[in-house]
Amino acid sequence: MVSPAIALAFIPFVVTLLIRYRHYFCLFYRAVLVRRVRDYLTGIPKEERAFQYVLTHTIPGDPQHILETFDHWSYHCEYLSNLGPQKAKILERLIYEKAPLRVLELGTYCGYATILIAQLLPLGARLYTVEMDERKAAVAEKVIRLAGFDDDTVELIRGPSQEVIPQLKEKYGLSHVDFIFMGHWKRCYLRDLQLLEAHDLLLEGATIVADNIIFPGAPHFMQYVKACGKYKWRIHRTSLQYFRAIPDGMAQLTWTGLQ
């Protein structure tokens, strides 16, 4: 057994860890522990609980009000890994600058980034958004339609991204994409970027934005981007959505067309 003296000696170390990483402990508490308890008590997933809140507190057909309602829920009720207001400003500025006509989103989640992008698109543009989780896709579908966007503006594709990307040309009539937003599993970023290259879906000047590039991070993706010589890139440093004390960032890539 550990003697009391040794145990006491570890107390300052433990306290230091708790103070230094308190924001990460708070994230774990809100994102994992609270979710599991409420999932058990309610019998429905947190994304559906969030939608019920949005449905009763938002103005249908008002995308901005829906985003603000999601933000309120995530700050004050339960944590959702939506894009959040700080990162939304970065994505909003890029959409304005690029004015893309064909946008691909990988990882719809609850539809937060989807309706942010959709409301900024120029006339005649279309957004294709891919979600592999059926329950999350069902929530996103309701959120997108609640915001007032139909299939002509936003097409929600259900399925794993590695299966959907090779089908984009033949099945969905998408010959190329001008703008890609990645917000799905970080371990899939590199694989899906290479799939987009392999299937010749990127035109010269196409923009790729990848979220959570610092936390939890996508190191292999960034190593490839920096070493392959096919992209111009920069990092927009920000913080984790709804946790300003946790550093994060978004990668902005521009496809040069060099093979």
Side-chain angles (χ1 to χ4, degrees):
M1 293 182 64
V2 178
S3 70
I6 295 176
L8 287 171
F10 274 96
I11 290 177
F13 174 72
V14 172
V15 171
T16 301
L17 283 180
L18 289 173
I19 293 173
R20 178 172 296 181
Y21 298 105
R22 64 190 182 279
H23 303 292
Y24 297 90
F25 288 124
C26 183
L27 174 62
F28 177 77
Y29 170 76
R30 292 192 60 207
V32 179
L33 298 182
V34 171
R35 182 201 70 196
R36 289 184 177 177
V37 170
R38 293 185 177 175
D39 283 355
Y40 175 77
L41 293 176
T42 64
I44 59 175
K46 68 175 181 179
E47 292 81 13
E48 183 64 37
R49 293 194 296 275
F51 173 71
Q52 294 298 329
Y53 180 86
V54 169
L55 187 62
T56 56
H57 290 83
T58 199
I59 302 171
D62 187 337
Q64 189 57 43
H65 193 256
I66 292 173
L67 296 179
E68 291 169 357
T69 306
F70 263 122
D71 290 335
H72 186 273
W73 168 271
S74 298
Y75 276 124
H76 302 291
C77 301
E78 293 184 68
Y79 177 80
L80 289 175
S81 54
N82 290 326
L83 190 65
Q86 188 180 20
K87 291 179 178 178
K89 292 178 181 178
I90 298 172
L91 185 58
E92 184 179 63
R93 177 172 56 80
L94 292 174
I95 294 291
Y96 271 129
E97 288 178 0
K98 306 300 179 182
L101 293 177
R102 295 293 178 266
V103 179
L104 176 65
E105 179 187 21
L106 300 176
T108 316
Y109 193 46
C110 291
Y112 184 105
T114 311
I115 62 175
L116 172 74
I117 295 170
Q119 70 174 338
L120 301 171
L121 292 178
L123 187 65
R126 197 171 192 203
L127 167 60
Y128 299 79
T129 181
V130 181
E131 177 56 57
M132 67 174 292
D133 188 296
E134 184 59 40
R135 292 190 303 180
K136 293 173 184 173
V139 170
E141 179 85 34
K142 291 182 285 189
V143 170
I144 293 165
R145 305 314 169 206
L146 182 67
F149 300 110
D150 58 20
D151 285 328
D152 292 333
T153 304
V154 178
E155 180 168 356
L156 176 59
I157 303 172
R158 292 168 165 85
S161 55
Q162 73 270 24
E163 296 178 8
V164 172
I165 291 172
Q167 300 176 332
L168 287 174
K169 285 189 175 182
E170 293 187 4
K171 187 172 181 179
Y172 299 98
L174 188 58
S175 60
H176 67 274
V177 286
D178 309 309
F179 195 102
I180 301 98
F181 177 66
M182 293 182 169
H184 57 328
W185 292 105
K186 315 316 158 200
R187 64 174 181 268
C188 300
Y189 280 12
L190 176 56
R191 180 201 67 197
D192 289 349
L193 183 67
Q194 292 175 329
L195 277 174
L196 290 166
E197 295 174 5
H199 290 275
D200 197 27
L201 285 159
L202 301 174
L203 290 180
E204 184 177 353
T207 299
I208 302 99
V209 177
D211 192 17
N212 300 124
I213 213 68
I214 294 174
F215 183 84
H220 298 299
F221 171 81
M222 287 309 302
Q223 287 170 8
Y224 172 77
V225 167
K226 294 175 182 179
C228 71
K230 301 175 184 179
Y231 299 92
K232 296 178 182 177
W233 61 274
R234 63 172 295 189
I235 301 294
H236 298 273
R237 295 196 175 271
T238 177
S239 59
L240 184 68
Q241 44 268 45
Y242 311 116
F243 275 88
R244 287 190 173 272
I246 298 179
D248 196 10
M250 303 170 75
Q252 176 189 345
L253 320 179
T254 303
W255 171 248
T256 64
L258 299 176
Q259 298 290 338

